[in-house]
Amino acid sequence: MTPTRARAAALLTALGLACLSGLSSGASAGAADPAAPGFGRVDPSTAPTAVTSLKQAPTTPDRKAAVDALAAVRAIFAPKSPSQARASLEAGGVEATMALRDLALRAKSLSASDQESARDYFDRPATSDDPVCNADVCVHVAAKVDPEDSQDASGAAGANGIPDYVDTVLRTVGHVHDKYLRAGYREPLPDDELGGDDRFDIYLKNVGKEGLYGFCGSDDDSDEYDRWAYCVLDNNYSEFSGTPLENLQVTAAHEYFHATQYAYDMAEDKWFLEATATWAEDEVYDGVDDNVQYLKTSPLTAPFLPLDSFISTGNFANFHYGTWSFFRFLTEKYRATKGGMPVLMLDLMKKVDGSAAGPDQYSWQAVQSVLAKKRTTAAKQFLAFSVANRDPRRSYDEGKANKYPVGPLAGSVKLTRKRSRTNQATVRTEHLSSATYRITPRRLTSRRTKLEVSLDMAPRKRGSMAAVTMFPQKGKARSSTVDLDRRGDGTARVAFSSRKVRYVEVTLANTSGRFAQCFEQYTPFSCYGLPKDDRQKQRISARVVR
């Protein structure tokens, strides 16, 4: 096993979190924080050891990965008890779209019998009546759905002879379609009239009983990365928390954005596809705020996890949905809009475009490219994002109203005149993650009192960056970046009088977006590659000065 592969294996199995060391005053080392839970079942022992990338899967398929993808889809669509389905819905729903995507990209490597089995999952739901359509979208009612389930609470069809719920779905998806089109996005690709014509197809089916809000699939068996899609939505959303209409709205916005993404690159990194689709929900239906639930497991609450992680099981399941917060941070900072939506996201989609004429960048590459056009860097913005997440109710437009959560500190300490310096604390950081230490003044009343922070971080080329944030007794926090030399060393001074200062926080960030063996492995990170700069050792100490 190469050193890079060994580091990736260590990250996948334990995330390196056991090495968080609490910051304490005095000369002795602080007590270590409890090790945070790992990725659960997402570890290298359950993944193939020599897997081709999803990008290469259509032409150089890998049997083991394809069999795993088929097994995952079978598990998702296996019959569930009402209690199992309810538990899935309460946890945010079973994740079917990406599982079907993985199977579609790998299906050609299955045995003949397994290919036939896989084809069943790509088949569109059977329908009994003609679809209800507008100029762009057709809504099909699945044959096995009770007609009353497709109507409103009164059980009566609308005045036009169409069940009210079907009308509502058509209006909702039509609104989503128009919103994305005005914002400059491609329409989903035509599907060779597999739904009757080339309009986009929505199928209504009781998927709530399977623990699903909805999903998108593709029966496009070409070898292209840009492919057509269709989507399946629940037939009434009556068994879901929240109102049926709001559940329909955010699911339609989310899943239709997947269909839009597939018109650019179906094989793009999964964390990026899910994060941006979750981001889109709130752009189309700002008043619903359903995506706030995913902040419970997100970079705000788990800053020690790599931003580009796709985690389906275990204690941090659905972390990738919570990473919508990063794109919200960026689009609140770069506010130019087109058709009522931020242009920055459209720019990202154009960079990941895997069609014949597209640049076909992977997720973090696209972020780097788009931000470079803004005369900044992805690294600087990741550090700023990490700092903003320490005070999210002030940092985000809806942070206060929606009670955005705050994550754990790596360590904290109180300094006084007698205990005026800390030990040197150490933390290991993964790529695109951060750790924050808090230092609080106690009875340091002189207005000339300052805090000197000394950092001994990994070399700057490995992604090390840091910021010091002073939280005053009154008013807004003030943050500044610490100048590090090429070795990762640096110092900073900040006001520290307890008359004026509540506390100071030092955020140590590993902003590295470097990967090895892109599209040659199957990791849950950007380009399915091996991060080059994980488990970087970062050291911090501080003392009171005048």
Side-chain angles (χ1 to χ4, degrees):
M1 183 177 285
T2 65
T4 301
R5 188 188 295 272
R7 285 196 297 271
L11 170 60
L12 288 168
T13 53
L15 274 307
L17 300 180
C19 57
L20 282 175
S21 178
L23 187 64
S24 66
S25 59
S28 60
D33 287 346
F39 262 144
R41 277 175 273 176
V42 183
D43 70 54
S45 67
T46 63
T49 56
V51 182
T52 59
S53 76
L54 293 181
K55 287 285 188 179
Q56 297 176 352
T59 53
T60 58
D62 177 85
R63 175 69 60 88
K64 175 69 165 62
V67 170
D68 289 346
L70 178 57
V73 171
R74 281 174 170 158
I76 287 171
F77 290 99
K80 296 177 178 65
S81 68
S83 61
Q84 288 174 323
R86 186 165 52 253
S88 294
L89 295 175
E90 289 173 354
V94 176
E95 189 171 82
T97 299
M98 290 298 106
L100 287 168
R101 190 286 303 255
D102 286 354
L103 182 58
L105 290 170
R106 293 189 165 118
K108 291 182 181 180
S109 68
L110 293 168
S111 66
S113 61
D114 277 349
Q115 285 191 43
E116 188 66 28
S117 177
R119 211 166 288 123
D120 292 340
Y121 294 107
F122 301 138
D123 287 345
R124 302 174 184 220
T127 57
S128 56
D129 300 320
D130 290 337
V132 179
C133 305
N134 62 20
D136 306 296
V137 177
C138 286
V139 177
H140 308 255
V141 179
K144 293 184 179 180
V145 171
D146 181 341
E148 289 192 0
D149 289 341
S150 298
Q151 299 173 355
D152 64 8
S154 70
N160 59 1
I162 299 170
D164 286 356
Y165 182 70
V166 176
D167 266 341
T168 299
V169 171
L170 186 62
R171 271 195 314 273
T172 301
V173 179
H175 170 71
V176 173
H177 164 275
D178 293 346
K179 181 83 171 180
Y180 294 160
L181 193 63
R182 287 194 300 269
Y185 293 97
R186 290 178 187 159
E187 293 184 88
L189 299 182
D191 63 359
D192 285 352
E193 302 187 355
L194 291 179
D197 59 28
D198 276 340
R199 284 177 286 194
F200 186 77
D201 296 300
I202 294 287
Y203 295 84
L204 302 183
K205 185 180 177 182
N206 185 3
V207 294
K209 69 178 183 180
E210 297 170 321
L212 297 165
Y213 278 77
F215 63 89
C216 287
S218 178
D219 42 11
D220 181 345
D221 63 354
S222 73
D223 289 343
E224 303 299 329
Y225 301 140
D226 53 326
R227 303 190 190 184
W228 69 65
Y230 64 87
C231 293
V232 179
L233 303 178
D234 192 64
N235 63 330
N236 55 31
Y237 288 102
S238 62
E239 63 268 75
F240 298 70
S241 61
T243 71
L245 178 60
E246 289 180 342
N247 283 314
L248 167 64
Q249 288 172 334
V250 295
T251 305
H254 183 109
E255 297 301 335
Y256 195 89
F257 201 73
H258 280 317
T260 301
Q261 292 166 340
Y262 285 14
Y264 291 87
D265 190 350
M266 181 182 181
E268 188 47 64
D269 295 332
K270 291 194 290 187
W271 80 274
F272 179 85
L273 295 180
E274 287 295 3
T276 55
T278 307
W279 167 90
E281 296 175 22
D282 204 54
E283 296 299 320
V284 182
Y285 293 106
D286 183 47
V288 179
D289 295 323
D290 184 73
N291 59 1
V292 173
Q293 67 176 304
Y294 297 114
L295 297 181
K296 290 183 292 186
T297 307
S298 73
L300 277 70
T301 57
F304 42 79
L305 293 178
L307 173 71
D308 61 341
S309 301
F310 186 89
I311 309 172
S312 295
T313 60
N315 292 297
F316 299 113
N318 294 334
F319 175 82
H320 45 273
Y321 290 124
T323 59
W324 73 269
S325 53
F326 177 68
F327 297 102
R328 169 55 64 87
F329 171 79
L330 292 180
T331 54
E332 286 188 3
K333 192 164 191 174
Y334 301 101
R335 292 178 178 265
T337 62
K338 177 179 180 180
M341 293 187 71
V343 173
L344 183 135
M345 184 60 70
L346 177 63
D347 292 341
L348 288 170
M349 292 307 301
K350 289 178 179 178
K351 290 296 184 183
V352 301
D353 182 6
S355 66
D360 195 22
Q361 294 185 346
Y362 63 80
S363 56
W364 196 249
Q365 269 186 323
V367 172
Q368 291 171 322
S369 295
V370 169
L371 290 177
K373 293 286 187 180
K374 307 289 185 187
R375 297 185 179 181
T376 184
T377 67
K380 288 179 180 178
Q381 295 312 312
F382 179 77
L383 175 63
F385 171 66
S386 301
V387 171
N389 291 344
R390 293 300 311 153
D391 194 14
R393 298 186 184 186
R394 287 181 180 267
S395 301
Y396 293 87
D397 290 350
E398 298 180 357
K400 183 178 181 180
N402 287 328
K403 299 179 180 179
Y404 282 15
V406 181
L409 293 163
S412 64
V413 64
K414 297 179 178 67
L415 294 183
T416 66
R417 290 180 64 185
K418 290 185 177 180
R419 304 184 71 183
S420 61
R421 66 175 59 236
T422 72
N423 67 299
Q424 186 179 69
T426 301
V427 61
R428 288 187 183 271
T429 56
E430 316 305 333
H431 74 285
L432 299 179
S433 75
S434 67
T436 296
Y437 289 89
R438 178 179 292 176
I439 309 165
T440 304
R442 285 288 181 264
R443 297 185 297 277
L444 296 172
T445 57
S446 171
R447 297 180 185 276
R448 293 181 298 169
T449 304
K450 293 188 179 297
L451 180 72
E452 182 179 85
V453 176
S454 298
L455 302 178
D456 177 9
M457 301 181 70
R460 204 168 56 197
K461 70 177 183 180
R462 308 298 294 272
S464 295
M465 294 188 75
V468 175
T469 306
M470 189 273 286
F471 289 81
Q473 296 288 356
K474 296 180 181 180
K476 293 183 179 181
R478 297 192 293 273
S479 182
S480 60
T481 302
V482 180
D483 288 331
L484 300 177
D485 63 24
R486 61 182 180 82
R487 294 172 300 182
D489 299 335
T491 60
R493 287 193 175 191
V494 62
F496 201 58
S497 168
S498 53
R499 292 176 182 269
K500 298 277 189 177
V501 178
R502 279 193 294 151
Y503 51 80
V504 171
E505 290 191 346
V506 184
T507 297
L508 312 179
N510 180 340
T511 69
S512 173
R514 304 193 309 160
F515 300 90
Q517 301 181 42
C518 278
F519 310 117
E520 296 177 14
Q521 302 297 319
Y522 186 43
T523 71
F525 308 124
S526 296
C527 77
Y528 309 96
L530 298 174
K532 287 186 173 182
D533 300 307
D534 277 342
R535 295 184 56 76
Q536 294 301 297
K537 188 178 291 187
Q538 322 287 20
R539 298 183 177 90
I540 174 177
S541 60
R543 65 188 183 112
V544 177
V545 297
R546 290 192 179 187

